[in-house]
Amino acid sequence: MAVLLRGGRVVDPQVGLDEVADVIVRDGVIVEIGPDLTIPKGVTVECAEKVIVPGLVDVHTHLREPGFEYKEDVRSGTRAAAHGGYTAVCAMPNTRPVCDTGSTVRFLAERAESAGAVRVHVIGACTAGQKGTALAEIGDMVAEGAVAFSDDGHGVADAGMARLVMDYAKQFGTTVISHCEDLALVGKGVVNEGAVSTRLGLPGWPAAGEETMVARDIALAELTGCRVHLAHLSTGRSIELVREAKARGIAVTCEVTPHHLFLDEDVLDTGYDTNLKMNPPLRTAGDREALIVALLDGTIDAIATDHAPHASHEKALEFEIAPFGTTGLETALALVITHLVASERLEWKDLVRLMAQGPRAALGLPELRLEAGMPADITIIDPEARVEVTPALFESRSSNSAFLGSSLLGKASEVLVGGRFALRNGKVVD
Amino acid sequence: MLSSRHIIDIRDLTTDDIMSILDTAESFKEVNERRIKKLPTLRGRTVINLFLEPSTRTRTSFEIAAKRLSADGVNFSASTSATVKGESLADTAATLSAMACDLVVVRHKYAGAPRILAKHMDAHIINGGDGMHEHPSQALLDLFTMRERAGRLEGLTVGIVGDIAHSRVAGSLVPALRAVGATPIIIAPPTLMPARPDVLGAEAVTSLDEVIGDLDVAYMLRIQMERAEGMPFPSVREYSRLFGMNETRLAKMRSSAFIMHPGPMNRGVEISAAVADSDRSVVLNQVNSGVAVRMAAMYLLLGGEGGGGAA
Ligand SMILES: [Zn+2]
């Protein structure tokens, strides 16, 4: 099948592209980019006023399958991804059972093949059962296609164990993704320790609970030479540590989430809204600003959703016992456009760097550029479209969004995965 | 009538609201001294005591308050509650709503639980203590007791001593004192201080002896001696030596100063038996005022909706 994307603003800083052009896709591959192209037969998508970028990838998605299909599964999660403009997601391993063997990796890869609306890259666990006490079969999982390793959901508490994981993973050239949370400091913490924990009488999750682990894992990245990716950083001091490590040439990358970029602890007010309960928690306005500065100066490699679907009856619990997390796949792009691109703090090429190129580089995924010969994984964005964030918006099985009630600007209209439409006119293609 | 439908956070109340609760409680207190301690005021209204964390003292106080106003009081306690069977608080709220009750007094081990109830039902909610957050009716009865003993609230300096970080009593009392023009000082080792005392609205000091001469009231908090996590002080003995109220410390206080405690007391830990039982302690007055203040709170929340007049 041939597809002509006509007259869009084609943006890819990797090939120095930012101009209005046509794109021809045939047999799953980009065949030509240039002015005034035509195809004899096939599908033409009018892209005037739209932006064409390399397919977005989310490095931090919880698909919940196997084990928690009532929250999300491969099908609903990848449909949500397509709806949000992603051509690929990286699935975190804290499922039931934990994804810590080659066979679970293969199961997920097969599920993605049969039910996935977009590509799924599998992240395996670092330690068996994510218990932090014994190495998981990392080599087996690599053989089945796992792209990175993480005990996300928990920090690897024992520094010796964390070192072992990095030393071992290094031989496969894979990235270790670190969830930076020192449980001894965080304990039962559920909101940022400070003004809000004091006002709401909730156990505090101190910034130092993240920062000490960030410092430790940077030291271990240096010691082992393993590539380390720091997940969902939330504090200004964490960012400073990364900035300093990068300056010293340590192989460390990091991500931030839209909720840490665009919300701070003050939104918690006195409402005890569990959709705002995150791990790590929403931090201060100062932290938020530090994260945005770091987006612009290149310290942050990726905007990741940490898409964490939960059933409504779970989020309806008391704040202290409700699960952590917000869905994110279907709002991330719109949030970035609304808060950063529309206000011109971020350019389109930065968006490509943070939501397509940087995430791939961090996990060592194959490069993807808008040029002839590359797989046709492409996201087409309508920057003027309105997105009303209501439960009805979501393709995800869950609607625990921290942004319910917002009115946002910009959304994906088309998503092509390997030349096939996963999203067409804003609707997920079955 | 109060300006708020609920008493969940003490900040829900304006200073006028607080004062009208205290003034109304005066007249109820007088009723409580009669031989027949009962008013028809809330006849036909249903008050549910939803105590999902055990507290005999607070529950009994609310129960008596409801009975003296002739309300139909029903206990819905932890052992009979569905929460232990995995039902969520929202479900419980729906169930109670279906029973058409007028007012729910809720005690819960997690902060914010009263807000969940308020969101899911039409009844008025009184927070009987939620997690480490607030316990507003306790703060109100404390203010009542202080005013009764000192003759005023404005200008009083009140030292609150002990586990401020985990205390819902302090969580309500500090802002309540600020609202009525008194000055709260919180006194505790740093391990028992909240992350941001300024947010509560109090000056924080770590030495009781440094400020003891300035206090009109020393409010001693109960020390939790059976904690799961690491003890926030080396020993009960050391705590008592640094932060306990005893006769030596009492002697350094102003002659008009008095001692309060929300109960139940650990005698010999945060307060010596001699001080607890002395005429400088108003602990029993606090208990006694509790009923009148809770009557006032219920009456004012439900008043203006067809209730009879006060005393
Ligand atoms: Zn995580």
Side-chain angles (χ1 to χ4, degrees):
Chain A
M1 185 186 72
V3 179
L4 171 64
L5 311 176
R6 185 152 63 194
R9 177 174 172 185
V10 184
V11 180
D12 185 356
Q14 300 170 99
V15 290
L17 204 58
D18 186 350
E19 61 199 35
V20 173
D22 301 338
V23 179
I24 295 176
V25 169
R26 189 174 291 123
D27 299 328
V29 177
I30 297 172
V31 293
E32 197 178 356
I33 300 176
D36 304 320
L37 302 180
T38 53
I39 49 171
K41 59 181 179 12
V43 177
T44 298
V45 180
E46 293 299 340
C47 296
E49 313 299 320
K50 292 182 182 171
V51 183
I52 300 176
V53 300
L56 307 183
V57 52
D58 184 28
V59 288
H60 197 139
T61 301
H62 296 279
L63 289 178
R64 304 294 189 212
E65 184 176 356
F68 302 99
E69 290 84 352
Y70 66 96
K71 300 174 194 252
E72 194 84 289
D73 60 18
V74 169
R75 180 181 141 83
S76 65
T78 55
R79 286 173 65 89
H83 191 216
Y86 291 93
T87 58
V89 296
C90 301
M92 280 296 177
N94 51 341
T95 48
R96 191 173 60 206
V98 167
C99 181
D100 61 355
T101 63
S103 60
T104 324
V105 172
R106 180 156 12 100
F107 163 79
L108 263 173
E110 284 168 1
R111 282 290 292 143
E113 194 60 45
S114 64
V118 303
R119 297 182 201 274
V120 176
H121 301 289
V122 181
I123 298 168
C126 294
T127 66
Q130 296 193 312
K131 289 191 164 69
T133 48
L135 283 176
E137 292 182 339
I138 290 174
D140 260 18
M141 289 190 275
V142 168
E144 295 293 346
V147 297
F149 296 90
S150 179
D151 274 0
D152 187 58
H154 322 266
V156 177
D158 186 282
M161 190 66 225
R163 183 213 169 144
L164 204 59
V165 167
M166 291 181 202
D167 265 337
Y168 192 80
K170 183 176 185 286
Q171 65 181 311
F172 304 105
T174 57
T175 303
V176 169
I177 302 172
S178 178
H179 168 117
C180 295
E181 175 181 1
D182 182 334
L183 212 57
L185 281 171
V186 173
K188 294 181 186 140
V190 290
V191 293
N192 186 36
E193 181 174 305
V196 165
S197 66
T198 303
R199 189 171 75 228
L200 296 184
L202 290 169
W205 195 135
E210 171 176 305
E211 292 150 358
T212 53
M213 199 87 135
V214 168
R216 183 198 80 174
D217 285 351
I218 286 171
L220 293 178
E222 185 169 26
L223 174 67
T224 61
C226 182
R227 216 164 54 211
V228 171
H229 178 72
L230 304 169
H232 46 55
L233 295 186
S234 66
T235 82
R237 180 70 189 130
S238 290
I239 295 300
E240 273 177 49
L241 289 162
V242 172
R243 196 175 277 135
E244 184 190 293
K246 285 189 162 187
R248 289 174 48 223
I250 300 170
V252 55
T253 54
C254 69
E255 69 187 35
V256 293
T257 71
H259 47 274
H260 291 115
L261 285 168
F262 307 127
L263 297 174
D264 57 55
E265 59 175 358
D266 293 335
V267 300
L268 281 154
D269 190 29
T270 57
Y272 295 90
D273 179 355
T274 55
N275 283 336
L276 301 172
K277 178 178 173 178
M278 313 295 178
N279 190 11
L282 300 176
R283 301 292 186 187
T284 66
D287 288 312
R288 204 165 78 80
E289 189 52 33
L291 298 185
I292 289 175
V293 168
L295 272 188
L296 306 175
D297 73 11
T299 304
I300 291 168
D301 299 272
I303 294 173
T305 67
D306 194 2
H307 178 74
H310 291 293
S312 56
H313 70 267
E314 297 171 315
K315 278 290 191 180
L317 293 174
E318 294 83 330
F319 198 93
E320 288 172 60
I321 54 174
F324 288 101
T326 172
T327 59
L329 287 169
E330 291 164 271
T331 48
L333 176 63
L335 285 161
V336 172
I337 293 171
T338 306
H339 294 295
L340 296 173
V341 178
S343 61
E344 295 180 344
R345 283 192 84 173
L346 212 64
E347 296 182 51
W348 286 104
K349 65 177 169 58
D350 299 311
L351 185 143
V352 171
R353 170 170 60 81
L354 290 161
M355 299 185 78
Q357 173 192 0
R360 283 194 180 82
L363 300 200
L365 302 176
E367 285 182 37
L368 182 72
R369 296 182 296 276
L370 291 181
E371 65 181 16
M374 278 281 160
D377 285 17
I378 297 171
T379 301
I380 301 171
I381 300 164
D382 178 352
E384 302 297 331
R386 280 253 153 228
V387 178
E388 305 299 329
V389 187
T390 66
L393 171 73
F394 302 115
E395 291 290 336
S396 170
R397 186 158 295 157
S398 298
S399 56
N400 56 299
S401 169
F403 296 97
L404 283 175
S406 336
S407 180
L408 304 174
L409 194 62
K411 66 177 295 201
S413 56
E414 272 77 27
V415 165
L416 282 163
V417 179
R420 292 220 305 264
F421 286 101
L423 187 76
R424 186 86 202 269
N425 292 323
K427 299 237 174 341
V428 179
V429 177
D430 282 300
Chain B
M1 278 288 277
L2 300 178
S3 64
S4 168
R5 272 185 57 74
H6 308 293
I7 305 179
I8 294 178
D9 297 4
I10 198 77
R11 292 176 189 79
D12 293 344
L13 304 175
T14 63
T15 303
D16 282 350
D17 289 334
I18 291 175
M19 286 310 178
S20 70
I21 291 172
L22 300 190
D23 293 343
T24 307
E26 295 281 4
S27 54
F28 285 133
K29 180 142 189 172
E30 179 239 314
V31 171
N32 289 340
E33 265 128 44
R34 300 182 195 162
R35 197 171 65 82
I36 306 293
K37 304 176 178 61
K38 197 148 174 150
L39 296 168
T41 316
L42 297 184
R43 185 177 291 149
R45 316 300 297 268
T46 307
V47 174
I48 293 191
N49 280 319
L50 178 64
F51 275 62
L52 299 177
E53 182 191 64
S55 161
T56 313
R57 298 166 69 100
T58 303
R59 198 199 68 215
T60 307
S61 180
F62 272 108
E63 228 177 293
I64 294 173
K67 288 205 161 77
R68 290 200 179 153
L69 292 170
S70 303
D72 298 317
V74 183
N75 283 324
F76 196 100
S77 64
S79 51
T80 60
S81 112
T83 320
V84 290
K85 299 177 206 132
E87 194 182 70
S88 77
L89 191 58
D91 294 333
T92 305
T95 307
L96 295 180
S97 268
M99 295 174 184
C101 57
D102 299 295
L103 188 148
V104 177
V105 179
V106 56
R107 158 73 65 112
H108 200 288
K109 72 192 262 212
Y110 295 123
R115 290 264 174 239
I116 298 182
L117 284 183
K119 207 168 97 185
H120 288 93
M121 55 193 307
D122 293 329
H124 300 273
I125 308 292
I126 295 181
N127 180 2
D130 63 328
M132 309 185 300
H133 180 222
E134 287 221 22
H135 192 2
S137 68
Q138 177 74 42
L140 291 166
L141 74 87
D142 291 334
L143 294 184
F144 185 92
T145 309
M146 283 178 214
R147 189 172 77 167
E148 194 177 50
R149 174 76 173 225
R152 67 191 166 105
L153 287 170
E154 214 176 324
L156 290 182
T157 300
V158 180
I160 305 170
V161 190
D163 190 355
I164 313 290
H166 302 93
S167 170
R168 50 190 166 212
V169 174
S172 288
L173 185 54
V174 170
L177 287 165
R178 297 270 301 199
V180 298
T183 305
I185 302 178
I186 57 182
I187 304 157
T191 50
L192 292 177
M193 279 293 183
R196 289 278 302 274
D198 58 306
V199 169
L200 284 182
E203 184 196 345
V205 303
T206 56
S207 165
L208 174 55
D209 289 319
E210 218 163 78
V211 293
I212 194 149
D214 304 330
L215 303 181
D216 297 299
V217 182
Y219 193 106
M220 313 309 293
L221 293 172
R222 176 179 168 82
I223 280 298
Q224 208 79 39
M225 290 189 292
E226 58 291 319
R227 297 174 162 277
E229 64 268 44
M231 281 285 271
F233 45 82
S235 66
V236 165
R237 188 181 145 274
E238 177 158 325
Y239 179 84
S240 183
R241 194 172 60 77
L242 291 171
F243 296 97
M245 181 53 63
N246 51 39
E247 282 167 296
T248 319
R249 287 208 167 94
L250 188 59
K252 292 185 192 149
M253 296 185 73
R254 293 176 180 157
S255 59
S256 60
F258 54 97
I259 312 298
M260 299 177 77
H261 192 295
M265 294 181 280
N266 295 306
R267 287 169 196 258
V269 182
E270 68 268 2
I271 187 166
S272 75
V275 173
D277 299 331
S278 75
D279 62 2
R280 302 287 293 278
S281 146
V282 296
V283 175
L284 288 176
N285 306 50
Q286 289 172 269
V287 178
N288 181 266
S289 314
V291 172
V293 168
R294 286 171 176 131
M295 287 168 78
M298 289 179 182
Y299 166 73
L300 289 170
L301 279 182
L302 291 174
E305 289 185 7

